[in-house]
């Protein structure tokens, strides 16, 4: 990605990078779209809070991938972008980024209730309450972005909002207050999510040890463990600034290529693993996808009368 004016890609390199990013974005969102279509085509999934939370995670990733790819392409084509439009895109990216770990925590809580409180699961985890919970997640996920915008209005003159800008967070939200707010909000959110994952994993683990039939408990334990793996993948993006600094300092001849690879590994590839970790692993979901999207061959046998 063309992050600084000191490192400019050549035409061919820029073209290849944009083709790769757009292609990966299309592949990831096409795979995710298969899960979304399968979910809405089968009413059995819309009655299960587990699948409702999962499909919210998938749709959230689709929005994030679409906006991220758009910002990447715009950084090479438009350069200067209308400030309100840029601010809207950055707000969407930031909100969807925050919702991913929160949604993982919600999925872990749902599995915890299903295993440790099985008699109350159908009463607590109803579809209506799940949709309310998802609305709450989106509100909580949007708080840091909306706070950044409020800080911007309080600290910048009116002329700051009138002119086109380079559509990067560091340009649109330039103050030290923004940087401190970003650090504190990410630490608070991630700490809360990790506490929830560790607590639910330990409780499910203890329940599995005490249960006479350990199949479902062990499966739930493995699912929560996968939530932790997915959260670690999401947290790879926190390493991006550190890796960028190391690359710029030590590999000046290959800076743009290595920065692009870091962007792929920390922001794009983890979004490809979400449907594979959860959707393809779930037998019920995988079966419905095969039924809907695999090619069927009909053989007509003609028997003489």
């Amino acid at each position: 990605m063309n992050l600084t004016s000191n490192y400019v890609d050549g035409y061919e390199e820029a073209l290849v990078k944009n083709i790769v990013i757009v292609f990966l974005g299309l592949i990831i969102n096409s795979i995710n779209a298969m899960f979304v279509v399968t979910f809405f085509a089968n009413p059995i999934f819309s009655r299960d809070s587990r699948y409702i939370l999962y499909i919210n995670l998938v749709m959230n990733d689709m929005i994030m991938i679409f906006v991220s790819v758009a910002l990447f392409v715009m950084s090479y084509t438009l350069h200067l972008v209308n400030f309100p439009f840029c601010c809207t895109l950055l707000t969407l990216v930031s909100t969807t980024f925050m919702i991913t770990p929160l949604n993982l925590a919600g999925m872990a809580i749902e599995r915890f209730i299903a295993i440790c409180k099985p008699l109350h699961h159908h009463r607590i985890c109803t579809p209506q309450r799940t949709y309310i919970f998802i609305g709450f997640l989106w509100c909580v996920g949007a708080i840091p972005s909306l706070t950044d915008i409020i800080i911007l209005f309080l600290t910048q003159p009116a002329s700051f909002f009138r002119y086109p800008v380079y559509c990067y967070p560091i340009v649109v939200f330039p103050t030290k207050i923004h940087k401190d707010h970003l650090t504190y909000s990410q630490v608070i959110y991630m700490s809360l999510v990790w506490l929830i994952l560790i607590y639910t994993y330990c409780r499910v683990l203890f329940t599995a040890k005490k249960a006479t039939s350990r199949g479902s408990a062990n499966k739930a334990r493995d699912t929560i463990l996968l939530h932790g793996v997915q959260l670690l993948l999401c947290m790879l993006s926190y390493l991006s600034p550190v890796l960028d600094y190391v690359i710029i300092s030590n590999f000046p001849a290959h800076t743009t290529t290595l920065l692009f690879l870091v962007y792929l590994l920390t922001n794009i590839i983890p979004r490809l693993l979400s449907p594979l970790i959860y959707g393809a692993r779930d037998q019920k979901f995988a079966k419905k996808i095969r039924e809907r999207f695999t090619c069927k061959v009909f053989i007509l046998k003609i028997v003489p009368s």
Side-chain angles (χ1 to χ4, degrees):
M1 194 171 183
N2 190 11
L3 293 173
T4 69
S5 58
N6 296 326
Y7 301 95
V8 180
D9 295 332
Y11 174 77
E12 291 183 359
E13 184 179 356
L15 181 62
V16 169
K17 288 179 180 179
N18 279 274
I19 290 174
V20 170
I21 283 293
V22 172
F23 178 74
L24 283 176
L26 288 174
I27 291 296
I28 295 171
N29 274 357
S30 296
I31 294 173
N32 284 334
M34 292 171 59
F35 288 95
V36 174
V37 170
T38 302
F39 174 84
F40 287 106
N42 295 273
I44 186 175
F45 295 130
S46 61
R47 295 193 292 267
D48 192 323
S49 58
R50 176 188 177 189
Y51 294 107
I52 296 172
L53 287 170
Y54 167 69
I55 213 64
N56 180 65
L57 179 67
V58 171
M59 296 174 69
N60 178 76
D61 282 354
M62 291 180 70
I63 295 171
M64 184 175 180
I65 285 292
F66 177 79
V67 180
S68 296
V69 170
L71 286 171
F72 186 93
V73 174
M74 285 164 53
S75 70
Y76 284 91
T77 54
L78 296 179
H79 299 297
L80 294 176
V81 182
N82 177 270
F83 185 89
F85 180 61
C86 174
C87 197
T88 301
L89 293 180
L90 293 178
T91 299
L92 271 175
V93 168
S94 176
T95 300
T96 51
F97 176 80
M98 288 294 189
I99 286 175
T100 296
L102 295 174
N103 201 101
L104 291 171
M107 294 169 72
I109 292 172
E110 188 275 332
R111 287 294 85 196
F112 160 74
I113 296 173
I115 299 302
C116 300
K117 309 285 183 182
L119 297 179
H120 303 283
H121 180 262
H122 293 292
R123 181 174 57 84
I124 297 174
C125 300
T126 63
Q128 293 78 10
R129 289 184 176 181
T130 305
Y131 286 118
I132 293 172
F133 178 73
I134 289 173
F136 172 74
L137 289 185
W138 278 87
C139 292
V140 173
I143 288 175
S145 300
L146 297 177
T147 304
D148 280 337
I149 295 174
I150 293 172
I151 294 172
L152 204 60
F153 278 106
L154 295 176
T155 57
Q156 300 297 324
S159 59
F160 181 82
F161 307 96
R162 297 173 186 169
Y163 302 103
V165 293
Y166 292 100
C167 201
Y168 300 115
I170 195 173
V171 176
V172 178
F173 306 114
T175 67
K176 185 179 183 299
I177 301 175
H178 284 107
K179 295 177 183 178
D180 293 340
H181 170 254
L182 176 64
T183 301
Y184 294 146
S185 61
Q186 288 181 344
V187 168
I188 292 172
Y189 277 50
M190 288 299 172
S191 299
L192 177 63
V193 171
W194 274 114
L195 285 174
I196 292 173
L197 288 181
I198 293 171
Y199 174 78
T200 53
Y201 180 81
C202 291
R203 287 294 304 271
V204 170
L205 183 63
F206 294 148
T207 302
K209 288 182 178 180
K210 294 188 294 184
T212 54
S213 177
R214 299 184 180 182
S216 58
N218 287 334
K219 188 175 180 180
R221 181 200 61 194
D222 294 340
T223 301
I224 294 174
L225 188 60
L226 286 175
H227 295 339
V229 173
Q230 178 65 9
L231 187 59
L232 285 174
L233 293 173
C234 293
M235 292 179 69
L236 285 176
S237 58
Y238 294 153
L239 298 176
S240 183
V242 178
L243 295 175
D244 291 348
Y245 176 78
V246 172
I247 289 169
I248 292 172
S249 302
N250 298 284
F251 305 97
H254 306 285
T255 295
T256 56
T257 301
L258 293 176
L259 289 179
F260 175 70
L261 292 177
V262 168
Y263 174 72
L264 283 181
L265 293 175
T266 59
N267 291 276
I268 302 298
I269 300 302
R271 308 295 161 181
L272 174 62
L273 300 178
S274 292
L276 302 179
I277 287 176
Y278 301 114
R281 180 174 172 267
D282 186 274
Q283 294 180 359
K284 188 186 297 184
F285 222 120
K287 179 182 177 182
K288 293 297 182 181
I289 287 177
R290 286 195 299 269
E291 290 176 355
R292 188 166 190 85
F293 292 101
T294 54
C295 297
K296 295 180 176 62
V297 178
F298 296 94
I299 300 176
L300 181 62
K301 184 177 181 181
I302 301 176
V303 180
S305 57

